Amino acid sequence: MNSSEFADPRRPRRLRQTGALRTLVREATLAPSDLVYPLFVQHGQGLRTEIASMPGQARLTTDLLPTEIERVAKLGIQAVLLFGLPRTKDEIGSENFASDGIVQQAIKTAKDTVPEMLIVTDVCMCSYTVAGHCGLLGRDGRILNDESLALLARTAVSHAKAGADLVAPSGMLDGMVHALRTSLDDAGFDFTGILSYAVKYASSFYGPFREAADGAPKHGDRKTYQMDPANRAEALKEVALDIEQGTDMVMVKPAMAFLDVVHAVKQAFPAVPLAAYNVSGEYAMLKASAQAGWISEQDAVLELLLGIKRAGADAIISYHAPDVAAWLSQ
């Protein structure tokens, strides 16, 4: 029997035969300029404190920050996201909005080092308050939503004064974008952008981050303000509200378990830039598997980040960013 008489002339495999051909028809691409690298900054001098649950990541003092900013800039990464660890914590997180706070110092240092680097700052209260929640706590243990907004807006303005390009409210409090936009505009920072954590789930994948930023709640959890992982339609509602309030960009967090949400948000709001946060737990899982020899870290990370891009993300926040940028350059 001649098998050729049954051959189907339609052969999708024709476009998979060489690396050059596969690259030519590739639908999703990944570049260093798509990446945002999170950095943790702390007080002191000459300190690099390794984060045990996130191999390769560390808390840095601001005197070590220039070397790190220059390193990632040379790799083609154009944006960093700053998280600060205060010297002391109190009930309202005073250092959060202090002119000489750790993040405010880090912004100035980063801008002095690489002026064109895009500086994004996390605007939240969890690492700065004794309670470790994303807002002020009332006597009944519930978040005081509107009272917290005033402090978050004050923090955003202090970051803008220090030179931040984008402020990123992450507390999932009602009205947070409106509060920040109004305060920034009133203070003359109408060109400081907002990247809202519009869709932030109450996820189990944040564990390593809470060690890194010393931001775990002292009691209770965050399920009354972060989203239920079972919900997708609610994500579209949250994004719509933040767009209405004036956000410039939106974010879905975490990324890996919520790629359907990333896709749904991009489909519903195609004109709004969308970031997805490849969070600490996702990073730690891949690191642990690679260290055990179970996966190729490079192949798995590139596959995951391409999946996030393919789902619809315009930007990816990832602790793997410097590694990815180096791999892409090869």
Side-chain angles (χ1 to χ4, degrees), residues 17 55 65 84 121 130 184 205-206 231 254 275 298 303:
Q17 298 310 298
L65 192 57
T121 60
V130 174
L184 288 167
F205 289 101
Y206 300 150
N231 294 357
Q298 178 174 334
E303 184 177 331

Side-chain angles (χ1 to χ4, degrees), residues 133-168:
H133 277 278
C134 299
L136 299 173
L137 289 185
R139 292 182 180 179
D140 60 358
R142 299 180 66 180
I143 295 293
L144 299 173
N145 191 92
D146 295 355
E147 294 85 344
S148 300
L149 294 181
L151 295 177
L152 293 176
R154 189 174 173 184
T155 299
V157 170
S158 76
H159 289 181
K161 285 181 179 178
D165 299 293
L166 287 172
V167 290

Side-chain angles (χ1 to χ4, degrees), residues 69-315:
I69 294 292
E70 289 174 346
R71 179 177 78 94
V72 299
K74 288 176 181 177
L75 288 168
I77 295 169
Q78 299 177 7
V80 295
L81 171 58
L82 298 178
F83 295 93
L85 288 94
R87 193 180 303 277
T88 59
K89 302 187 181 196
D90 58 29
E91 298 298 326
I92 65 170
S94 301
E95 190 179 317
N96 214 358
F97 44 82
S99 60
D100 61 348
I102 186 62
V103 166
Q104 289 80 352
Q105 293 179 42
I107 295 167
K108 294 172 184 175
T109 299
K111 279 295 185 184
D112 287 344
T113 304
V114 181
E116 63 272 21
M117 181 66 70
L118 184 75
I119 305 299
V120 189
T121 60
D122 184 76
V123 178
C124 196
M125 300 176 68
C126 56
S127 295
Y128 291 84
T129 61
V130 174
H133 277 278
C134 299
L136 299 173
L137 289 185
R139 292 182 180 179
D140 60 358
R142 299 180 66 180
I143 295 293
L144 299 173
N145 191 92
D146 295 355
E147 294 85 344
S148 300
L149 294 181
L151 295 177
L152 293 176
R154 189 174 173 184
T155 299
V157 170
S158 76
H159 289 181
K161 285 181 179 178
D165 299 293
L166 287 172
V167 290
S170 62
M172 286 298 289
L173 301 185
D174 295 337
M176 63 185 185
V177 171
H178 174 73
L180 267 62
R181 185 72 273 155
T182 300
S183 295
L184 288 167
D185 290 353
D186 288 348
F189 296 105
D190 50 316
F191 275 90
T192 300
I194 296 176
L195 165 57
S196 173
Y197 286 68
V199 182
K200 184 177 180 180
Y201 286 93
S203 172
S204 60
F205 289 101
Y206 300 150
F209 173 88
R210 290 174 181 173
E211 175 198 346
D214 191 23
K218 299 304 179 200
H219 57 80
D221 55 42
R222 294 172 176 156
K223 293 180 179 178
T224 63
Y225 46 100
Q226 294 179 357
M227 283 180 52
D228 184 342
N231 294 357
R232 185 171 70 166
E234 184 185 13
L236 301 181
K237 175 183 177 181
E238 289 281 4
V239 171
L241 286 170
D242 283 3
I243 293 171
E244 183 181 322
Q245 292 172 32
T247 195
D248 300 285
M249 298 178 64
V250 295
M251 184 196 303
V252 174
K253 180 182 179 182
M256 190 164 72
F258 299 95
L259 291 179
D260 63 318
V261 178
V262 173
H263 181 69
V265 169
K266 195 60 183 177
Q267 291 294 301
F269 307 99
V272 179
L274 172 62
Y277 202 142
N278 175 215
V279 298
S280 61
E282 297 166 357
Y283 173 88
M285 285 194 307
L286 289 173
K287 276 289 185 183
S289 295
Q291 288 176 352
W294 297 333
I295 63 170
S296 161
E297 181 178 3
Q298 178 174 334
D299 292 344
V301 171
L302 290 175
E303 184 177 331
L304 171 59
L305 268 59
L306 268 174
I308 297 171
K309 279 294 297 289
R310 192 178 64 248
D314 300 296

